[in-house]
Amino acid sequence: MLILGIDTSTTAISVALHDGDRVVAQATTLDARAHAEHLAPGIRAALDQAGAAPRDVTGVVVGIGPGPFTGLRVGIVSGRTFAFALGLPVHGLCSLDALAHEAWLGGHRGGLLVATDARRKEVYAAEFLLDEGGLTRLAGPVVSRAAELQHDWRRLPIAGRGPLLYPADLPGPPEDGSEPSGIPLPRDVSAGALADLAVRRLADGDPADPLDGLEPLYLRRPDVSKAPPSQKSTLG
Amino acid sequence: MTDEPLVLGIETSCDETGVGIVRGETLLVDTVASSVEEHARFGGVVPEVASRAHLEAMVPTIERACREAGVSLRDLDAIAVTSGPGLAGSLLVGVAAAKALAVALDRPIYGVNHLASHVAVDIVEHGPLPEPTMAMLVSGGHSSLLLVPDVTNDVRSLGSTMDDAAGEAFDKVARVLGLPFPGGPHIDRAAREGDRIAIDFPRGLTSRRDLERHRFDFSFSGLKTAVARWVEMRHRDGEAVPVADVAASFQEAVVDVLTRKAVLACKDNGVDHLLIGGGVAANSRLRALAEERCTKAGIALRVPRPGLCTDNGAMVAALGAQMVAKGREPSDLGLPTDSSMPVQLVQS
C-alpha cells in the first residue's frame, strides 16, 4: 500500500506518502499564493524521497477543505487527475479533520476547536472531541467571523491559524483552567496526518463513517452581481 | 507516422474547459465543456463560477477526449497547457491538472501562451504556417495584430486594443439592444436582416494622425458608447429601435477597422498570408469582408473552422506538438500561471 496524500486548504502546500503503517515521505511548502507552483514538484519530491515511482502509488486522498477556493481547487484537481491518470481510487477528507487528527497524534485529548483562515475576516471552524478511540467531529464545518462563533467554542484549545489571526476573539482556554496540556497544536494541514487518517478510516471499513467524497467544501456561494442594466445613460 | 509527437493540450483560460489531442500536425480530438450557460444570466463570465465549473469538468473532459480519440494516456509524449493570459483562478485549475498528468505519467510539460495557441491551431486545420505569418486575434478578451516568424518562440505584437476587446464590444452592444450573452452570434444573426450603412458609426483610430501613432492599435470603447447613445436618443424620442440596422451598422464598423488594419499590416510587412483566430473570427461578416479585401490585395486568408477559433484544447495541443517537433525545452514542473502573460512570451 502506498497512499498519496495532498492538501492545499491552508497556507501549507502539503504532500505525503503513507505505506499503511506510517508516513514514509512528506514535502511541505508554506506559500499562501503559489499552490499550483509548488504542488507538483512536491509530489515528485515525495516520490523521490520514498524511492517510489508514480506507478507504485495505490491510492490518493485529498483534503477537500474548507479553505480559500483558489488554492483548494489546485489540490483537488491535482489529486483527481493524478488518480485518473494511473487508474487509482481517490478519496476526499475534510481538511479540518486532518488538523484534529494531527492534534490527536500529538497526544491531545478532550475538546478541540479547529479554526483556519477563511480570508475576508472570517474563519472556517469545526468542533471536535478527541478520545483514545480517535476524533469525533461534533459540529461544523462552518464559516464565520471568529467573534461570532459560540462562546464555549472560543474557549477550547484551538488548532489552525485562527488564534494567530484573531487572538482577541479566539483566546482559547482560560488561564486558570486545567485544559491546556502543553501539547503544541498544528496550525496548517499536514498531508501526512491527512493520509494517516484516511488509512485508518479505510482500514476500519465502517460504512457508517465513510470518507468525505470529492466535492470541495466551499461553504460560500460565488460572488456574483446581477447582470448590469441593459441601458445605462450615456447622455449625462 | 507514429514517430510524430502525441500531445494532449488543456485550455482553461476563461469559461471553456478544453482538452484536445494532436499527433504531429493532425487533430485527433477536440473536446470542450463550456460553462457559458451558467454565465449568461449574469451578462458576462463570473470568474468564480468559471473556476468551479473547470474543477468539475476537468477529469470528465480528459476522459472523453481520450475515449473519442482512442488514445491511452500512457501513449502521450507530452502535456501542453495554457499558462496565460487569462482568468487567474481558471488558469490554475488547468495548469494543476496538466502538472498532475505530467508527474503521474512522467512526461514533459509545456506551459504555453493562449494567443500563440490561437495561431498554432491553424496548422492542424490548414497545414504548416508560412514564416512569417500575419495573425489577427479577435475575441472577448483580445484584439491583436501579431507578426509571427516562428509560433514556437518568436511572436511579435504590432498592435492591440487600447480599451475594449472586439468581442467585449459585441457583448456590450448586444446588451444595449436587449440581445442575450454572448453577444457575438446574436448580433451576427440580427445583422443579416439589417442595413450595414444605415448608421455611420465611428471607426476608432483610423484618422490619418491615428494611423501614424496607433497604426495597428484598436479602440472599440468609443464605438460602443456611440451605439448606446444612438439607441438612447431613439428611446428618448419615443421611436422604435431598428435592432437589425443598428446591429449591422455596428458590426460593419468593427469588421471594417479590423480588416483594414490587418491588410495594412500585411502590406507594411511584406507578408502575403493573413490568419484570423479567436472567437470573433466566427463572425460571418468578418469572414466575408476579410475574404474580399484579402483577395483584392493578393493576400491568402486562413481562418480555422469556428469550433477551432473559440477557446479549445486542440490549439494548445497543436502548439505543444510544434514545440516537441522543434526540440524546444519543456517547461519546469514549477511553472507559474501568468494572468497577464505578454504575447511575446510563447512559453513559460
Side-chain angles (χ1 to χ4, degrees):
Chain A
M1 178 191 265
L2 193 63
I3 301 294
L4 171 66
I6 294 173
D7 192 282
T8 57
S9 67
T10 56
T11 301
I13 300 112
S14 188
V15 176
L17 288 164
H18 194 293
D19 69 0
D21 291 324
R22 62 188 186 89
V23 174
V24 294
Q26 181 149 328
T28 297
T29 309
L30 294 181
D31 187 341
R33 301 269 163 198
H35 288 82
E37 276 97 314
H38 299 297
L39 182 59
I43 297 174
R44 187 164 278 173
L47 286 166
D48 289 349
Q49 204 181 316
R55 285 241 143 252
D56 299 329
V57 177
T58 57
V60 177
V61 59
V62 57
I64 55 170
F69 305 156
T70 302
L72 177 62
R73 275 189 286 266
V74 166
I76 295 176
V77 79
S78 299
R80 287 182 187 177
T81 308
F82 185 96
F84 171 72
L86 296 171
L88 302 175
V90 53
H91 308 282
L93 271 183
C94 173
S95 299
L96 304 186
D97 288 17
L99 274 162
H101 184 62
E102 187 172 355
W104 183 85
L105 290 171
H108 181 86
R109 297 293 181 266
L112 178 74
L113 179 73
V114 174
T116 61
D117 186 9
R119 308 232 173 110
R120 303 183 191 181
K121 299 181 180 164
E122 292 186 316
V123 292
Y124 296 115
E127 182 196 15
F128 293 87
L129 180 63
L130 277 50
D131 60 23
E132 285 314 309
L135 67 87
T136 306
R137 192 184 334 133
L138 301 177
V142 296
V143 60
S144 166
R145 285 191 174 238
E148 288 162 12
L149 292 173
Q150 59 193 76
H151 183 260
D152 54 333
W153 282 19
R154 292 155 57 199
R155 304 312 299 255
L156 288 170
I158 306 170
R161 284 184 184 252
L164 308 183
L165 295 166
Y166 309 105
D169 297 325
L170 297 171
E175 292 295 331
D176 57 344
S178 54
E179 257 323 327
S181 54
I183 294 170
L185 294 171
R187 298 296 156 210
D188 295 308
V189 175
S190 133
L194 180 87
D196 191 74
L197 182 58
V199 166
R200 288 166 194 262
R201 287 199 183 164
L202 286 168
D204 285 352
D206 178 359
D209 182 27
L211 296 165
D212 292 322
L214 280 174
E215 297 310 311
L217 297 170
Y218 287 122
L219 308 189
R220 283 188 190 127
R221 292 178 164 283
D223 282 335
V224 289
S225 52
K226 283 189 303 183
S230 63
Q231 284 171 33
K232 185 169 62 180
S233 176
T234 53
L235 297 178
Chain B
M1 295 294 284
T2 50
D3 55 340
E4 289 186 301
L6 184 67
V7 178
L8 179 141
I10 296 178
E11 151 67 34
T12 61
S13 68
C14 191
D15 62 335
E16 326 271 7
T17 311
V19 177
I21 302 176
V22 163
R23 186 186 293 285
E25 298 183 349
T26 307
L27 174 64
L28 301 188
V29 74
D30 174 34
T31 311
V32 177
S34 175
S35 59
V36 67
E37 284 171 17
E38 294 173 56
H39 303 290
R41 64 197 169 107
F42 303 115
V45 173
V46 182
E48 176 62 20
V49 171
S51 297
R52 291 185 180 194
H54 285 308
L55 173 62
E56 296 320 313
M58 183 53 64
V59 167
T61 308
I62 296 172
E63 187 170 20
R64 210 175 103 207
C66 289
R67 193 175 59 239
E68 288 175 9
V71 162
S72 161
L73 287 174
R74 282 190 307 276
D75 300 333
L76 295 174
D77 293 303
I79 313 296
V81 62
T82 303
S83 52
L87 299 172
S90 289
L91 288 168
L92 275 171
V93 176
V95 167
K99 289 183 178 188
L101 283 182
V103 173
L105 303 166
D106 196 19
R107 294 295 188 276
I109 182 170
Y110 291 81
V112 301
N113 190 304
H114 178 78
L115 297 175
S117 299
H118 269 304
V119 177
V121 74
D122 201 49
I123 295 170
V124 300
E125 182 84 328
H126 294 118
L129 294 175
E131 296 181 346
T133 283
M134 186 64 63
M136 180 166 69
L137 299 186
V138 274
S139 69
H142 310 279
S143 303
S144 303
L145 273 167
L146 308 173
L147 181 65
V148 186
D150 180 345
V151 73
T152 66
N153 75 347
D154 190 359
V155 176
R156 302 171 195 176
S157 175
L158 299 181
S160 60
T161 185
M162 304 183 68
D163 39 60
D164 290 352
E168 211 176 341
F170 272 88
D171 288 338
K172 289 176 178 172
V173 166
R175 196 182 298 147
V176 165
L177 293 176
L179 299 171
F181 172 88
H186 293 99
I187 286 189
D188 196 349
R189 204 168 302 130
R192 280 174 208 165
E193 312 296 321
D195 177 359
R196 50 182 185 254
I197 58 168
I199 309 151
D200 187 20
F201 286 127
R203 271 69 168 157
L205 300 181
T206 54
S207 69
R208 183 179 298 273
R209 191 173 152 181
D210 283 332
L211 284 177
E212 284 166 20
R213 292 171 54 199
H214 296 290
R215 194 167 182 78
F216 300 122
D217 290 325
F218 302 102
S219 167
F220 298 109
S221 176
L223 168 60
K224 168 199 72 190
T225 305
V227 175
R229 203 180 167 85
W230 194 92
V231 169
E232 193 167 339
M233 294 290 274
R234 300 290 290 219
H235 282 303
R236 200 181 60 177
D237 296 346
E239 293 174 41
V241 175
V243 171
D245 286 348
V246 175
S249 299
F250 157 75
Q251 176 173 276
E252 194 66 10
V254 174
V255 305
D256 178 28
V257 177
L258 289 174
T259 53
R260 217 192 296 177
K261 293 206 173 197
V263 169
L264 196 58
C266 288
K267 285 182 175 165
D268 277 14
N269 290 277
V271 175
D272 62 0
H273 278 77
L274 174 66
L275 189 160
I276 305 182
V280 180
N283 181 274
S284 65
R285 180 61 188 153
L286 175 60
R287 285 174 175 244
L289 190 60
E291 190 67 59
E292 186 185 317
R293 289 184 170 170
C294 283
T295 305
K296 201 176 291 176
I299 296 166
L301 178 66
R302 297 168 61 136
V303 191
R305 78 186 87 136
L308 294 179
C309 284
T310 47
D311 293 348
N312 64 83
M315 66 191 207
V316 183
L319 181 52
Q322 288 294 305
M323 295 201 156
V324 175
K326 293 207 174 188
R328 304 267 175 245
E329 279 291 309
S331 305
D332 187 87
L333 196 54
L335 77 99
T337 56
D338 182 353
S339 57
S340 54
M341 190 171 182
V343 66
Q344 295 85 348
L345 195 63
V346 177
Q347 185 186 355
S348 53

